[in-house]
Amino acid sequence: DIDNVDDLKEFKKTHESFKLLGFSDSDTEKIYRILAGILHLGNVTIRQGGGRGDNETSVINDDDGALLEMCRLLDVEPDQMRRWLCHRKIVSMRESIVKPMTLQQAEQSRDALAKCIYSNLFDWIVYQINKALRVTGKIHKFIGVL
């Protein structure tokens, strides 16, 4: 909580701004689902172990609530997400190798995925806003917002 900030009031303002800018209810719901999915992704618990040398591999428990909720929100398979957050695929000219990641590598991978999803969502929102504000004809006044 932030002092003197009414989260519900601010959320309603954001929601009304989406409507004002022409976002459909469906698009707005998808934005909220993606943002919630990103938050849950950041709460996925990755731990050491699961094979070879315990410090060389990482695993996510089958019952990790944050992973299951994130997968539900983003409509992805939990088993696939669990696997690819803890492994990487190296592709060469002749073959591909799946290699386990250490705990630190897996946590960095999880955080990078969250940042990538957020960045793409942000870019899409900015594009949609710019599209909504685009006018034809001569512009006499302009207001820029960073």
Side-chain angles (χ1 to χ4, degrees):
D1 288 327
I2 301 173
D3 293 338
N4 300 319
V5 175
D6 182 343
D7 290 334
L8 181 58
K9 183 178 175 184
E10 294 300 320
F11 177 78
K12 286 180 179 178
K13 282 183 189 177
T14 301
H15 192 72
E16 287 303 314
S17 296
F18 280 137
K19 283 184 177 181
L20 181 68
L21 290 165
F23 285 82
S24 69
D25 288 340
S26 174
D27 284 344
T28 304
E29 180 185 336
K30 288 174 187 171
I31 290 168
Y32 297 150
R33 287 177 68 95
I34 293 169
L35 290 173
I38 293 167
L39 292 173
H40 284 287
L41 175 58
N43 290 329
V44 171
T45 302
I46 304 170
R47 60 182 179 81
Q48 282 184 340
R52 296 192 339 190
D54 281 350
N55 61 348
E56 295 177 16
T57 63
S58 56
V59 294
I60 300 169
N61 290 343
D62 290 346
D63 62 348
D64 186 290
L67 179 95
L68 296 173
E69 184 63 14
M70 182 268 304
C71 289
R72 184 189 69 76
L73 289 165
L74 300 180
D75 196 24
V76 295
E77 291 293 324
D79 290 338
Q80 290 294 313
M81 186 58 67
R82 191 177 296 106
R83 176 175 171 77
W84 294 112
L85 283 175
C86 296
H87 295 81
R88 63 178 173 211
K89 187 179 221 178
I90 301 167
V91 179
S92 69
M93 295 274 288
R94 296 185 184 140
E95 63 182 340
S96 63
I97 300 168
V98 176
K99 184 177 178 189
M101 289 190 272
T102 65
L103 173 63
Q104 183 180 13
Q105 291 170 332
E107 288 175 338
Q108 290 172 346
S109 174
R110 175 201 60 203
D111 296 345
L113 177 60
K115 289 175 187 176
C116 180
I117 295 168
Y118 184 82
S119 176
N120 282 296
L121 176 63
F122 182 82
D123 290 346
W124 181 82
I125 291 171
V126 168
Y127 174 80
Q128 296 301 320
I129 290 171
N130 286 337
K131 193 166 73 171
L133 297 177
R134 191 172 300 132
V135 294
T136 58
K138 189 170 184 173
I139 300 173
H140 298 284
K141 296 181 181 177
F142 174 78
I143 299 174
V145 180
L146 288 177

